[in-house]
Amino acid sequence: MRRLLRVNLSKKASEADEIPKKICLDYVGGRGFAAKYLYDEVAPGTDPLAPENKLIFSTGPLAGTSAQSMSKWLVATKSPLTGSYTRSYGGGDFGAWLKWAGFELMIIEGKADKPSYIHIKDGQCEIRDASALWGKKVGEVQSLLQKEYGAKARIICVGPAAEKKVLYAAIFTGHRAAGRGGVGTVMASKNLKAIVIEADRKVELVNPQKFKELVKKQVEESKEKIGYGPFKDYGTVMGVDIPGTSHGCFPVKNFREADFEGLSSLSFVNWIPLVQKHSGCYACSLRCGKVRTVLDGPYAGITTEGPHYETLWAFSGPTTCSDIGAITRADQLCWEYGMDSISCGNSIGFAYELFERGILTTEDTGGLVLTYGDPEPMLRLIEKIATREGIGDILADGVKRAAERIGKGSDQYAMHVKGLELPGYEPRALKTLGMSYALSNVGGHHKIGYAGQDIGNPTPREVDPVADEGKGDIIKYNFDYTVAVELVNCCSFATANLELFDLSLIAEMLVAALGEEKFGSEEYLWHVGEKVYNLERCFNSREGFSRKDDTLPKRMYTEPLKGGVRDGEIIRKPDIIIDEFYNEMGWDKNGIPTKETLTRLGLQDMEKDIAKCRM
Ligand code: SF4
């Protein structure tokens, strides 16, 4: 039986229920369930920070089993940063614990009348007083709750930044975040500080012997793949070297350049001596997390589980900081306050460029001189953002809104798509990925349709990363594929990045675990992937999103990239790629799914909402 837990904070009530069989069959699980419930239950026009918005937590149908890299948890909601659909993934153990507690879905609705946390044990759910936790940093909250509930408990929580309504606050378990899109801000808006689950390991499989054989096959075959060993040993900081410098895609100085003096000192080899131990998510032998201690310099002694590549980039490229200790401290600060490091670092890079151009002065920054290469103002800005102090109050709203508040033409320096700050890959150097940012349902995100083809992955075909056309089919392939593997909340590092195993193995595992033969068809999982991507698009269309929003910052079309191996590149023909993509998707010229497409995908019920959005 596949079950959901619904918690209404306003009514101080909860109820457990079965997920209807039809939804299980039509949407499989994970991201599919989240999209379906979000579409059905969050009405268009809902204020993301109002009690009417919902937080939908989803763990995958294979979570808590020995299947590798499939125990991540997802949270979907209407984003306060973009006003669109968003989904954000977290790692650690929480996905397994939610499943062992008996639930694949947890829907949080309403708003508590005072700071609260949710406690789940033995199928029972209680809403408890969190007054003593409110205002506390992520690490403190986790320590206090872990002490109270012991080793069998797992916790997710938000930090002070979420309470201050920083629009890109995250939700953390341990050091791992569901980071993007302001999901933590939504959680705090409900006066919800944390969720604690106490659970015993409990896995029921229809065919345990077959499942065991499939996991054995998965582990053996994964270890033979070329990327497995290096990724396991060094983690995601390898991104500085590949693709960062090797493909000229490491964004520097707010996406103006692709290289700086000192970038080579951030190579993954220089992070190796700092590693104290490896850490990972439940049932994933990759253990890509690295607990590091800064060995010398002003930040010596700082220990944190990080940074991952994106955080490393966010606190180096935008400000040209090449101090490994300062970057580690920035990672630690984002964790303590509970913020998405990508949006935070991008917002700081925006401020540095405005300062260089004289649009911001020391009067605006509270005396901070934003000098490239100096990490101290960057670290101060992180704290100012988290506490909404001075200029931090403006940057805490993300670059799109910050530009609106600052004016003076600053919007042309705001590097976002749909309000979501761009991550650490340069769109002009990797144009398939770059245009995926523009077309993604959640805004500028590297993991909605990661385009490994830009760096040499030949599946489904080879791609010229800097070609200005011929990319629409690949972008569709990547979007659909990402959803298909996320129907089981499978980690994208294991699939899109490293290609350790493919969808056919996931299909076999689903049958062995659930006994549902329909899920054994790879084609069916592709079909549901496409369907869910379209459903998420319908959510956005209903909110007023259309072609006008599928665009990159103007800089990508008008300013050639400076430095690196892709020096001089620019995106020349975005409309050709956008038209190619819409055509592949079966969307009209305005980027709205056609009636035929909805019917083909079994989404005909959405036609009544979507018809008026078409051109
Ligand atoms: S690869 Fe890393 S993020 Fe992905 S499941 Fe494994 S440990 Fe977690």
Side-chain angles (χ1 to χ4, degrees):
M1 195 187 291
R2 306 177 69 187
R3 294 168 67 79
L4 74 85
L5 175 68
R6 188 180 292 275
V7 184
N8 189 306
L9 294 167
S10 303
K11 295 178 182 165
K12 297 185 177 66
S14 67
E15 62 174 2
D17 208 350
E18 205 173 328
I19 301 168
K21 178 82 175 168
K22 180 162 172 44
I23 291 180
C24 292
L25 287 176
D26 288 354
Y27 292 91
V28 182
R31 186 165 158 188
F33 285 176
K36 170 65 176 158
Y37 277 87
L38 193 75
Y39 189 93
D40 286 352
E41 299 195 7
V42 175
T46 298
D47 175 351
L49 299 182
E52 291 75 24
N53 194 13
K54 301 196 181 188
L55 269 180
I56 301 184
F57 292 90
S58 167
T59 189
L62 304 180
T65 71
S66 54
Q68 298 291 290
S69 319
M70 297 193 200
S71 286
K72 296 191 84 165
W73 51 280
L74 167 155
V75 54
T77 191
K78 182 174 178 183
S79 164
L81 203 52
T82 63
S84 71
Y85 154 88
T86 198
R87 75 96 176 94
S88 195
Y89 270 99
D93 294 340
F94 190 78
W97 255 250
L98 180 58
K99 185 77 176 304
W100 295 344
F103 305 107
E104 279 190 42
L105 268 178
M106 179 167 57
I107 301 175
I108 311 291
E109 52 195 30
K111 178 179 179 179
D113 58 5
K114 62 180 181 188
S116 302
Y117 70 97
I118 292 170
H119 176 258
I120 300 166
K121 186 179 181 184
D122 299 332
Q124 300 298 309
C125 171
E126 267 185 40
I127 299 163
R128 297 185 175 174
D129 184 9
S131 303
L133 301 173
W134 205 251
K136 295 213 180 313
K137 292 178 178 170
V138 167
E140 292 174 272
V141 175
Q142 293 179 351
S143 300
L144 286 166
L145 290 172
Q146 205 75 62
K147 201 170 163 195
E148 183 164 353
Y149 292 106
K152 277 192 179 174
R154 287 296 179 276
I155 297 144
I156 57 171
C157 71
V158 295
E163 297 169 24
K164 288 279 184 186
K165 291 192 170 49
V166 174
L167 291 186
Y168 40 84
I171 303 173
F172 284 81
T173 183
H175 282 253
R176 295 202 172 246
R180 305 236 63 198
V183 294
T185 322
V186 176
M187 184 159 153
S189 77
K190 298 182 174 305
N191 270 334
L192 183 61
K193 183 71 176 176
I195 300 175
V196 181
I197 297 180
E198 291 184 77
D200 291 315
R201 188 186 174 93
K202 200 169 42 183
V203 182
E204 286 169 21
L205 301 168
V206 168
N207 189 340
Q209 186 53 37
K210 177 70 179 170
F211 196 82
K212 197 173 163 189
E213 287 165 19
L214 290 168
V215 175
K216 187 165 180 274
K217 180 179 164 200
Q218 181 192 25
V219 171
E220 286 171 358
E221 290 183 2
S222 293
K223 285 181 177 169
E224 285 168 13
K225 296 287 166 58
I226 194 163
Y228 180 90
F231 189 82
K232 181 179 169 70
D233 289 343
Y234 309 122
T236 57
V237 295
M238 287 183 71
V240 173
D241 306 75
I242 308 169
T245 48
S246 65
H247 290 72
C249 65
F250 193 89
V252 170
K253 288 190 174 179
N254 203 27
F255 291 83
R256 284 182 282 175
E257 303 173 15
D259 200 2
F260 70 98
E261 205 188 330
L263 177 55
S264 59
S265 67
L266 301 179
S267 167
F268 79 93
V269 295
N270 292 328
W271 292 90
I272 297 171
L274 281 67
V275 175
Q276 306 298 313
K277 62 177 182 177
H278 304 268
S279 67
C281 305
Y282 181 82
C284 179
S285 65
L286 282 164
R287 295 173 69 73
C288 70
K290 309 294 165 214
V291 177
R292 298 187 180 93
T293 298
V294 180
L295 300 176
D296 47 33
Y299 311 99
I302 287 175
T303 297
T304 187
E305 187 187 320
H308 277 278
Y309 169 74
E310 286 296 335
T311 306
L312 189 172
W313 164 76
F315 297 112
S316 61
T319 58
T320 67
C321 165
S322 57
D323 182 331
I324 279 179
I327 296 165
T328 307
R329 174 62 180 148
D331 178 74
Q332 187 185 47
L333 282 171
C334 274
W335 172 68
E336 287 175 346
Y337 285 108
M339 294 189 289
D340 171 23
S341 56
I342 298 175
S343 285
C344 184
N346 184 313
S347 299
I348 290 171
F350 169 69
Y352 267 61
E353 181 171 1
L354 297 192
F355 192 86
E356 186 187 46
R357 292 181 182 279
I359 296 173
L360 289 179
T361 66
T362 48
E363 225 167 277
D364 302 300
T365 62
L368 289 179
V369 179
L370 308 186
T371 309
Y372 282 106
D374 180 2
E376 280 304 317
M378 173 182 83
L379 296 174
R380 274 296 296 131
L381 281 177
I382 296 172
E383 292 183 290
K384 279 176 176 276
I385 289 169
T387 55
R388 282 194 175 270
E389 175 199 334
I391 186 72
D393 183 51
I394 295 173
L395 299 175
D397 283 345
V399 296
K400 180 170 180 265
R401 287 179 180 78
E404 286 163 7
R405 287 175 70 179
I406 294 166
K408 301 178 188 171
S410 59
D411 57 326
Q412 62 187 301
Y413 311 118
M415 297 296 115
H416 69 91
V417 169
K418 301 181 178 79
L420 186 67
E421 288 72 21
L422 298 188
Y425 300 94
E426 168 56 55
R428 288 162 292 193
L430 306 175
K431 294 184 189 173
T432 319
L433 183 60
M435 287 307 295
S436 300
Y437 293 172
L439 293 160
S440 135
N441 285 335
V442 308
H445 201 301
H446 57 300
K447 282 187 170 286
I448 290 294
Y450 179 76
Q453 299 86 2
D454 276 343
I455 59 168
N457 178 349
T459 309
R461 65 171 174 81
E462 289 183 353
V463 164
D464 175 357
V466 292
D468 286 296
E469 49 194 292
K471 295 182 179 299
D473 61 322
I474 299 296
I475 295 172
K476 177 183 190 299
Y477 176 94
N478 292 334
F479 283 164
D480 291 350
Y481 174 74
T482 303
V483 185
V485 298
E486 290 182 356
L487 298 173
V488 295
N489 284 1
C490 185
C491 179
S492 63
F493 289 135
T495 49
N497 292 71
L498 299 173
E499 293 191 284
L500 300 184
F501 49 88
D502 58 25
L503 206 49
S504 63
L505 178 79
I506 292 175
E508 284 189 87
M509 284 181 164
L510 277 168
V511 176
L514 302 174
E516 182 52 66
E517 292 297 331
K518 196 173 185 178
F519 298 162
S521 154
E522 202 178 335
E523 290 70 33
Y524 184 68
L525 299 184
W526 273 104
H527 165 77
V528 179
E530 183 182 7
K531 171 181 178 161
V532 169
Y533 198 82
N534 275 269
L535 182 59
E536 295 165 355
R537 184 74 176 190
C538 289
F539 182 95
N540 283 0
S541 302
R542 210 171 54 166
E543 297 284 353
F545 286 84
S546 65
R547 186 179 187 117
K548 68 182 185 323
D549 305 292
D550 288 342
T551 186
L552 289 166
K554 195 172 149 199
R555 167 165 286 163
M556 303 302 160
Y557 308 139
T558 58
E559 294 179 30
L561 182 60
K562 288 185 199 151
V565 298
R566 299 273 157 78
D567 180 65
E569 276 302 334
I570 195 164
I571 295 181
R572 295 173 195 87
K573 301 173 184 171
D575 282 323
I576 290 185
I577 297 173
I578 292 167
D579 284 337
E580 288 172 355
F581 173 72
Y582 287 176
N583 192 41
E584 292 284 337
M585 293 299 289
W587 296 355
D588 73 4
K589 285 275 178 198
N590 203 24
I592 312 294
T594 63
K595 185 176 180 183
E596 293 70 31
T597 299
L598 294 180
T599 305
R600 176 174 64 79
L601 294 171
L603 294 173
Q604 55 279 356
D605 289 354
M606 286 73 203
E607 173 62 14
K608 63 182 183 319
D609 305 329
I610 301 308
K612 57 182 175 288
C613 307
R614 298 199 187 98
M615 287 180 102

